[in-house]
Structures are given as structure tokens and as C-alpha cells.
Amino acid sequence: MAYVSMGEANRLITEYLNRFCDSVSYQDSSTLCHLLSISSNSASLLSLADALNVFQDASSLIRQSDKFSEHEEILAHLLPSLQSYRVGNLVEAYIAFEKFASAFVQEFRNWESAWALEALYVVCYEVRVLAEMADKELTSNGKLKAAGSLLMKVFGVLACKGPKRLGALYVTCQLFKTYFKLGTVNLCRSVIRSIETARIFDFEEFPTRDKVAYMYYTGRLEVFNENFSAADTKLSYALQYCDPKKERNIRMILKYLIPVKLSIGIIPTYELLRNHKLHEYINIVQALRKGDLRLLRHALDEHEDRFLRSGVYLVLEKLELQVYQRLMKKIYINQKLSDPARAHQLKLEVIAKALRWLGMDMDLVEVKCIMMMLIHKNLVKGYLANKSKVVVLSKQDPFPKLCGKPVGS
Amino acid sequence: MNKTLSAADVQASDVRPLPVLEETLRYLLSLLDSTEHSFEAVHDFIFDRTRSIRQDLSMQNLANERVIHLYEEISHLCVYSVDFIILTLKWVLIQVKFHVIARQRLQSCSTTSISSMHHLNMEQLAKTLTTLYDIYDANRKPDYIYQNEAEFRSLYVLLHLNPSSGVMGEPMALWFRKLTSVLIKSKEMCFVRNLLRLYRMGNYKNFISALASEATYLQYCTSEPHIREMRSLAVQCINNVCYKLQPYPLLRLSQNLMMKEVDVESLCHECGLETCTDSDGCIVLPTKQPNLRRPEEGFKGYDLIGFEMKRLL
């Protein structure tokens, strides 16, 4: 903490108060944004915080002037929040900021135009981020839960007919981030319903950046629920409209889009995986291309933690059937080369041998079971002659491609 | 039933002290094995009594301040509140056991109100498990899992094996995200994850045999409807996939499904399929029959043959 003299402190605080009040009077949203970004650790805010800690009685300064006292409600909590943040008291910082935010939202509601929308975004962002910091200190999630409630209230304020409604999607995404972090993802449902069914909202009107974030989160929800077509649509939208310079965001989208694409039979190139540093999928893709079950199992084991945490493990595990399909196709192609007349007959014994070669010991009953499932789910066309222990493949297109549809649909 | 109230259960309006509640719980659990009364009657009685115990416990939670004042002079104040957590945990465990066992017993009941009872029971089981997990999480020590935690967590997976079963809860993928590494690597979680994989793959043979050889009693009870689902799937599959000119021998199927042959025949009929006898006198299932249908949502589970019940008790 830098040393600030009493006089300098007075000057810094008064300057901040002036800038705050002017930005409100002149509807200067971008200046206001800078004044509210507590967690940005900007030089000006840090020195202001130092000044506050020296001066100690900023509220007297506020009350002294008519200009400042007009915004006393808001400033009374904003300054202490910054003060606490500076000395590392993150719980107090959050508590004060929450009160500030409530007061600010009330003011925002009264302002007729939507001039302060960007500033409101900053407030929402800070509420969430400060709550997360406070919770870390408390090793609980109470503050983030409270932040969620506040954000819902903000959403309510923006769910209106005027131009303020354009901010609703940004707040929605802040809510998504909050709920995902809390693990209470089911709470997303009510906001999603509002956005998608309320007549005041027209999805196309929202800023692109917010639409991309929205589709990313709702796409992820579809992945968790294994609705692959919907997930594909949403995540592909997010990818298409994402700013190409935002590499981190693109990577995040791809992390979920790739398992979805794999599930509907679309395989990315190794180049794509390497370019976006998604090495964890390289072995999975190879296993699919080669029909190598052992490699799939190995890849799942190797990155088990990572896949479980991101929630794609079950989706990737399900690819096993497609890997089996590929293996059967390889056996068939091999047979075609050596004995074309009988290539369409796959003996269970031959399949078992191929699996043993891959290190997978299975008895004929299990092999039969798997073949039946492949045929049942239309990954293999043909029938099982149980007595003869043979799978007879259809002469036409015995291994239908998924073509963008999930298995068994 | 009303006459056999234990001494512990005397004044419902008064809040019962903890040792008394413990005794009541032990008594209630012993009722589950009673053969005197029909299970429906037992179920209602226990349901009712357990709800009142729960109320007493939560009242005591709020009144803890009062209790603390009472014992202020005595130094084992801290011991008391720790006991309370342990009792709450034990209580919820008993509740879960009750609901799991009830589910299985309900299957052999014959009254018509079974399906609503069953649904109610499943809802309660899901809610109770969630309460249990909250208690585990709230009292979490790093890298520590409670004695039975892995098994009780595994029940959640088994309960939600079938995403369209209508049991409340979040998607499996989200649920797994929250588990600690220690839990994920536990024997019980690995076991049910394997079952989940086999279930989703439709590998009915290995699903049933894995369950039969490795499941605990509670896991087995929770999985029973899925055994039925896999068996129905097997019949459906065989009908759709096997060669028309080679009817499928039921004996073979009964071995794979761990069922009596006569039960397999019954299951085929439930699926709208006809069976017949071939020239060697074996019962077979002709395939590619067009009248295949889903068996009714009944609770008639067929026995698991070659299954060592003794192992579980």
C-alpha cells in the first residue's frame, strides 16, 4: 500500500466523486465503467483505495456537498467495498458491493434511457467475481448464491419493453456462469424459458457476443443431457459467430463440440486438434478411425479426470459402439480381399479372434451380444444366424454412416 | 399395529431425546423383517413414524440453543452436538435402506395401488439420497469419505441408469462432476460406472452377470427394474436381429439372462411374442415376429437364478 498524505487523499477522493457524479449527469457510461471495475486492479482505483484507507471518513466528504450527497445511497457502499478489497478483506468487500449493486440497480430502473447498460454489465460482472473471491475465503458458496439472487433481480429489471431489454442476455450469461460454478445448473431453466419464450425478447436483436456466450452455455446443457442434435446446432452457432481472435473461447467451444460431432459420425482432423491444443482427443479420434477399442479405453483412462470434470466422459464412452462398427468394417474389408464370395459372412469366432488380438478377451456369448446391439442400433445391417454362429451382412451398405445423426435414432 | 407402539413412541407431541430416537429407529428397522403384517401395512406405519421422527429431529436442531443452555454446566456440550451429526447421518442411512428395500418388497405385492406407492417410494428415495449427500458434503474433511459413502453414492447412479425413468435428478454427467477423486476411484463407484457403461451399450449378458456377482444387497435392490429392462431388451433384440430360419433356443437365453426357462417363456409372452417347441423338444423363440411390444409397466420381477443371495446377507 502506497503512502498517501491526508491532503492528497482528500484530493483523490473528491476527484473520484466528481467523476462519478459527472458521468451520471452527462450519461457517460464508459467513464462510469472504469469507476466501478473494482476487481480490475486499475492504478487509479488502487490509489483511490489507498486514499480511502488513509482518510477513513469518506462519507463526511459525500455529505458535505449537494452534488455528491445526491448519490449518497450508492456511494455509501461503493467506497467501503473498494476499501475492504484493497486490504484483502474480500468478504466485507462483497457484502458492501452487494448493497451498492442493489442501490445502483434501483437508480438504473429510474433512469429512463438505457444509457448505463454497459455500466450495469460491469456491476453484474463484479458482483459475481467478488462473490467468488469471498466464497474462497469462507470456503463455502453462500456469497455466490446471494450473487445469483441479485442477478435474477437485475434480469427482472431488464425484462421490459424498452431498450434496456437488450441487456438481458448479458445478465443471463452471468447467471449461467454463476449456476455452473455452484453446480445448480437446473436453475438455468427458468432464465432460458424467459429468453426463448417471452414476447419482449427477440433473440436476433441481442449483441453477437452475448448470443455466442448464450449458445455456448445452452449447448453445454444439451451435451449434459445428451441431446446431440440440439447441442450440435447451438455449439456450431457459437463457433461460427465467435470472434476469431478469441482463441481461448474457440477452444472452449470446441472442447464440447468435438465430442458431439464424434457422436454423430463427424470426425475432426488431427490438425484441428493440434491447432487448438486439444490433445486429449487425439487418441479418441485415432481409435475411431482404426476401430481400436483398446486405444479408446486407454484414452478414456488417461484423461478420465479431465473428461469427468468437463462432463464429456459419458459421451466419449458411448463412442465404443462406433469403434466396434469400424472394427467390423475392417474385418469385412480384409475378408473381401482374401475371399470375396464369402466376405459378407462374419464368423463370431473370427471377430473374437480380432478382439483377442486387441487384448480384449471375450467369449462368444459376449461377442454375440455386441453384434446384436450393433445390428439393433443400425450400425451394422444384416442378421445373426445364431445356430451357425455367423453374422450375415447385407449386400448393400452393411455399415451405414451416421451422417449427422446420433446412434440408434 | 397401533397397539404395538414401543415405550419410546409414547408422546408424539413431546420432543423425544436423542437416545430415545435411536431406540425408536432400531425398532422400526426390525419391523421390516416382520412377517406378522402385510408389507403395505408395515410400509405405511414406518413411513408415518419416520416422518414424525424427522420432525422431532429438525425441531431439536432449532431448539439446540435451548438444549445447550440446559447442559451449560456440563462439559460434554461439544460431544453432544457431534453426536447429533452422527445420529442425523445414521438416521438418513436408515431411511435410504428402508426405501431401497421397500422398493424391492413392493415388487412382490399384489395390490392395485402399488404403482403410486412405488412412485412415491422412488421419489422419497431420491430425496433422501440427496439429503444424505448434503450431509456428507457439509461435514466433509479433505480426502475423507465416510464408511458407507461410496456405496450410497453408487445407489444414485443405479437409480438414474435409465434417463427416461422419470426419477428426479440432474443429468449423470453433471452429477459426476461433483464427486471427489477418492470417491470416483472407490470400488463401488467403479463398479456402478461399469454397469452404467454396460447398460448404455445394451450388453445385457455382462450387465446381469456383473450385478449378480458383485452387487451389494442395496445395489441389487436398486437395480432390479434394470435387470428387467435388460431382459426385455434381449428378447426385443433377438426378435429383431436373428435369422428367421433359426428360432432361438430359450434354454440358451435363460442361461444368459440368469432366468428359469419357464420365466423366459413368460417374458416372451409379455412382449407379445409366441414361443413353440422344435423337433428336438426344445422350446424356441421364432424371430422376426411383427407383434413385438413393450411389456407392461408391471412389477413382476423374475428371479435371478445362479445368484447367491447368501452372499449379500
Side-chain angles (χ1 to χ4, degrees):
Chain A
M1 249 174 61
Y3 170 72
V4 179
S5 71
M6 229 14 186
E8 181 66 6
N10 191 324
R11 191 190 68 80
L12 279 169
I13 298 171
T14 311
E15 186 187 319
Y16 178 86
L17 293 173
N18 269 314
R19 290 179 75 202
F20 183 92
C21 298
D22 287 342
S23 66
V24 173
S25 306
Y26 299 119
Q27 302 193 343
D28 178 3
S29 187
S30 58
T31 304
L32 191 54
C33 287
H34 290 301
L35 299 177
L36 303 178
S37 312
I38 291 189
S39 70
S40 67
N41 295 325
S42 68
S44 56
L45 282 177
L46 287 178
S47 40
L48 172 67
D50 290 338
L52 287 167
N53 277 311
V54 164
F55 200 85
Q56 285 296 326
D57 191 17
S59 45
S60 64
L61 274 181
I62 297 171
R63 266 178 265 122
Q64 270 169 29
S65 137
D66 279 340
K67 180 182 177 187
F68 299 160
S69 57
E70 193 187 331
H71 302 286
E72 190 176 352
E73 271 277 329
I74 295 178
L75 295 166
H77 300 295
L78 178 60
L79 297 179
S81 176
L82 183 57
Q83 216 175 327
S84 298
Y85 178 81
R86 183 66 170 120
V87 297
N89 193 341
L90 299 166
V91 179
E92 288 301 320
Y94 171 75
I95 294 174
F97 194 86
E98 197 194 84
K99 293 195 183 122
F100 153 73
S102 293
F104 183 85
V105 171
Q106 278 293 81
E107 274 303 297
F108 178 86
R109 203 189 227 148
N110 296 333
W111 294 326
E112 267 199 44
S113 80
W115 72 266
L117 212 49
E118 289 288 328
L120 183 66
Y121 293 165
V122 171
V123 172
C124 289
Y125 174 82
E126 294 290 326
V127 157
R128 180 178 63 84
V129 165
L130 290 174
E132 283 181 24
M133 292 189 208
D135 276 342
K136 234 188 207 159
E137 228 176 65
L138 296 168
T139 56
S140 77
N141 54 23
K143 298 303 177 199
L144 193 55
K145 276 192 190 148
S149 301
L150 180 60
L151 288 171
M152 269 310 268
K153 290 202 187 105
V154 177
F155 182 85
V157 168
L158 296 176
C160 60
K161 280 203 195 126
K164 288 179 189 170
R165 76 183 186 284
L166 289 179
L169 206 59
Y170 179 87
V171 178
T172 301
C173 294
Q174 291 300 313
L175 275 166
F176 284 162
K177 290 183 205 229
T178 306
Y179 293 147
F180 269 70
K181 182 100 193 211
L182 286 170
T184 53
V185 158
N186 52 310
L187 293 176
C188 295
R189 233 178 286 146
S190 65
V191 246
I192 293 175
R193 215 179 313 133
S194 296
I195 294 282
E196 294 185 0
T197 61
R199 255 178 283 161
I200 38 169
F201 294 133
D202 176 5
F203 192 74
E204 291 314 311
E205 283 183 325
F206 289 120
T208 304
R209 171 197 71 171
D210 297 337
K211 285 192 283 192
V212 168
Y214 180 83
M215 285 301 199
Y216 166 72
Y217 282 105
T218 51
R220 278 177 70 181
L221 289 177
E222 302 287 5
V223 175
F224 295 147
N225 287 315
E226 298 197 357
N227 300 329
F228 295 130
S229 310
D232 185 22
T233 307
K234 294 184 184 181
L235 292 171
S236 298
Y237 179 103
L239 187 66
Q240 187 183 357
Y241 292 104
C242 183
D243 182 348
K245 283 184 252 144
K246 299 255 157 98
E247 169 55 37
R248 193 171 156 266
N249 290 353
I250 292 182
R251 187 171 177 275
M252 278 162 69
I253 298 170
L254 283 172
K255 203 163 79 147
Y256 291 94
L257 186 56
I258 286 173
V260 170
K261 289 288 194 192
L262 291 176
S263 301
I264 57 177
I266 298 170
I267 305 186
T269 60
Y270 294 120
E271 196 187 338
L272 180 96
L273 296 176
R274 286 199 195 97
N275 285 346
H276 294 283
K277 299 198 183 57
L278 289 161
H279 305 285
E280 63 265 32
Y281 292 126
I282 288 184
N283 279 345
I284 308 249
V285 167
Q286 190 163 24
L288 271 169
R289 282 191 197 279
K290 291 187 163 174
D292 189 346
L293 280 148
R294 192 176 35 183
L295 187 57
L296 178 70
R297 297 258 173 97
H298 168 77
L300 287 172
D301 278 338
E302 196 186 344
H303 300 288
E304 184 184 71
D305 237 13
R306 188 200 296 236
F307 289 149
L308 279 172
R309 300 271 162 246
S310 56
V312 297
Y313 186 94
L314 293 176
V315 173
L316 294 170
E317 196 180 52
K318 223 175 176 180
L319 296 172
E320 198 171 323
L321 279 175
Q322 285 166 253
V323 177
Y324 273 113
Q325 183 202 41
R326 181 75 193 132
L327 180 63
M328 298 309 137
K329 192 169 183 180
K330 275 176 85 167
I331 296 174
Y332 168 68
I333 290 172
N334 266 346
Q335 284 186 187
K336 241 182 165 177
L337 293 172
S338 52
D339 185 5
R342 272 204 275 270
H344 64 287
Q345 290 180 17
L346 294 182
K347 293 211 179 95
L348 293 182
E349 187 52 65
V350 169
I351 299 172
K353 206 157 139 194
L355 288 167
R356 262 196 302 275
W357 192 79
L358 279 173
M360 303 184 63
D361 224 343
M362 280 186 210
D363 61 21
L364 286 189
V365 179
E366 200 183 339
V367 174
K368 188 172 62 177
C369 198
I370 292 170
M371 290 315 298
M372 285 211 275
M373 265 346 253
L374 287 174
I375 300 172
H376 183 65
K377 297 206 177 187
N378 214 32
L379 283 168
V380 169
K381 265 216 199 116
Y383 61 82
L384 171 72
N386 175 58
K387 225 178 195 171
S388 344
K389 301 207 199 314
V390 149
V391 171
V392 179
L393 298 172
S394 159
K395 292 272 169 67
Q396 272 187 347
D397 192 24
F399 302 103
K401 285 199 193 285
L402 289 176
C403 294
K405 292 217 176 73
V407 171
S409 59
Chain B
M1 275 308 238
N2 295 329
K3 293 182 198 159
T4 55
L5 288 175
S6 67
D9 212 5
V10 170
Q11 292 132 330
S13 52
D14 291 352
V15 171
R16 290 160 287 183
L18 292 175
V20 171
L21 287 177
E22 274 200 289
E23 187 51 51
T24 312
L25 291 176
R26 268 196 282 270
Y27 164 71
L28 286 177
L29 199 60
S30 72
L31 282 181
L32 280 177
D33 291 324
S34 122
T35 46
E36 258 185 74
H37 307 276
S38 69
F39 188 70
E40 292 97 286
V42 173
H43 178 278
D44 282 347
F45 180 72
I46 294 182
F47 212 90
D48 199 56
R49 287 293 173 279
T50 54
R51 195 175 28 206
S52 87
I53 293 182
R54 197 177 19 198
Q55 283 164 354
D56 273 16
L57 274 181
S58 60
M59 275 169 68
Q60 289 214 38
N61 194 25
L62 293 173
N64 220 9
E65 303 290 299
R66 220 176 59 196
V67 173
I68 287 177
H69 284 308
L70 280 176
Y71 284 84
E72 222 162 17
E73 300 93 47
I74 310 166
S75 56
H76 40 288
L77 213 167
C78 301
V79 175
Y80 197 77
S81 47
V82 166
D83 275 353
F84 182 72
I85 292 173
I86 292 177
L87 178 66
T88 312
L89 192 62
K90 276 192 197 167
W91 154 241
V92 180
L93 285 176
I94 289 173
Q95 259 196 312
V96 172
K97 280 186 185 163
F98 165 65
H99 286 301
V100 170
I101 294 170
R103 176 194 200 169
Q104 198 229 8
R105 298 290 171 85
L106 282 172
Q107 293 193 8
S108 41
C109 294
S110 52
T111 65
T112 48
S113 60
I114 283 299
S115 70
S116 57
M117 259 174 102
H118 182 88
H119 188 74
L120 196 72
N121 195 46
M122 288 333 305
E123 291 265 305
Q124 285 305 308
L125 176 57
K127 280 189 193 148
T128 314
L129 280 176
T130 309
T131 308
L132 180 60
Y133 301 151
D134 286 342
I135 296 177
Y136 283 143
D137 287 334
N139 297 302
R140 166 84 49 217
K141 290 171 231 159
D143 283 344
Y144 174 80
I145 54 177
Y146 292 84
Q147 195 183 7
N148 300 314
E149 189 178 352
E151 187 185 357
F152 282 92
R153 294 269 186 188
S154 73
L155 295 183
Y156 186 92
V157 177
L158 296 174
L159 207 58
H160 292 90
L161 231 43
N162 183 355
S164 50
S165 65
V167 182
M168 272 170 42
E170 52 186 349
M172 199 50 47
L174 273 175
W175 188 82
F176 275 122
R177 271 196 347 159
K178 300 187 204 165
L179 297 184
T180 61
S181 267
V182 181
L183 265 176
I184 297 228
K185 292 188 178 23
S186 69
K187 186 183 75 158
E188 292 85 349
M189 282 311 297
C190 287
F191 171 61
V192 293
R193 280 177 60 200
N194 189 35
L195 284 181
L196 178 65
R197 185 181 68 87
L198 293 169
Y199 181 88
R200 280 150 59 92
M201 287 261 297
N203 190 336
Y204 53 83
K205 196 245 171 195
N206 282 22
F207 179 85
I208 294 174
S209 63
L211 204 58
S213 61
E214 283 178 59
T216 63
Y217 186 47
L218 290 181
Q219 287 171 337
Y220 166 69
C221 289
T222 317
S223 309
E224 265 200 314
H226 304 302
I227 296 176
R228 183 177 162 74
E229 281 164 23
M230 291 306 248
R231 286 170 169 169
S232 306
L233 176 68
V235 168
Q236 193 187 357
C237 229
I238 288 169
N239 184 58
N240 289 348
V241 153
C242 288
Y243 190 30
K244 193 166 182 174
L245 297 181
Q246 291 179 3
Y248 205 94
L250 289 196
L251 181 63
R252 173 74 55 79
L253 187 56
S254 73
Q255 286 159 351
N256 294 340
L257 299 182
M258 295 177 78
M259 285 167 90
K260 290 188 216 140
E261 202 180 336
V262 61
D263 286 343
V264 179
E265 206 178 348
S266 174
L267 179 62
C268 290
H269 297 323
E270 270 193 81
C271 293
L273 300 178
E274 289 174 8
T275 54
C276 58
T277 317
D278 69 3
S279 49
D280 295 324
C282 304
I283 311 179
V284 293
L285 174 70
T287 63
K288 306 285 190 193
Q289 292 185 46
N291 295 330
L292 178 76
R293 63 153 193 267
R294 264 236 157 91
E296 267 164 39
E297 188 74 25
F299 295 94
K300 194 160 169 294
Y302 297 107
D303 293 335
L304 203 57
I305 303 302
F307 170 52
E308 290 191 24
M309 245 314 184
K310 277 185 289 179
R311 178 176 70 75
L312 300 181
L313 301 168

